[in-house]
Amino acid sequence: MDKHLKFSSKAEAESVLFDEVDDALIPKFNFSIDNIGVIYKETGTLIDSEYGPIPETTPISGWHVNVRGVGPDDFAEYEVTVATPVRNWA
């Protein structure tokens, strides 16, 4: 099962999803992780005299991670419904 997760910070995501072993982060469970991080939402357009229109963005709160291969009840407290995902599994 694929899920979109949202944590309050990168540190929280790492503490929930990984164990630290010899300075390396190892997934706690047998699943795939797509660590997205901060997502930015377009809020308008800036005009640069040299480059032309540039999207103006603002960060969406939280640290975002996609996971694949988890059970329906795994990470339920972090699961969010996403209307337009930034990234999907291929």
Side-chain angles (χ1 to χ4, degrees), residues 1-6 72 74-81:
M1 171 174 259
D2 296 344
K3 291 188 176 192
H4 303 283
L5 307 179
K6 179 180 177 182
D74 295 338
F75 310 113
E77 75 177 275
Y78 303 102
E79 188 173 6
V80 292
T81 302

Side-chain angles (χ1 to χ4, degrees), residues 2 34 68 87-90:
D2 296 344
D34 177 19
R68 169 172 267 184
R87 287 199 303 247
N88 281 315
W89 297 97

Side-chain angles (χ1 to χ4, degrees), residues 2-75:
D2 296 344
K3 291 188 176 192
H4 303 283
L5 307 179
K6 179 180 177 182
F7 298 92
S8 62
S9 66
K10 179 181 180 182
E12 180 185 30
E14 289 177 349
S15 72
V16 170
L17 300 173
F18 298 96
D19 284 324
E20 189 170 341
V21 178
D22 297 327
D23 295 327
L25 294 176
I26 308 298
K28 289 184 178 181
F29 308 98
N30 187 23
F31 58 88
S32 299
I33 300 170
D34 177 19
N35 190 22
I36 296 171
V38 177
I39 295 174
Y40 292 87
K41 174 181 156 185
E42 192 169 326
T43 57
T45 303
L46 300 172
I47 304 299
D48 182 274
S49 61
E50 186 175 344
Y51 299 104
I54 299 172
E56 182 176 32
T57 61
T58 189
I60 297 172
S61 67
W63 190 263
H64 305 268
V65 178
N66 292 341
V67 292
R68 169 172 267 184
V70 298
D73 297 328
D74 295 338
F75 310 113

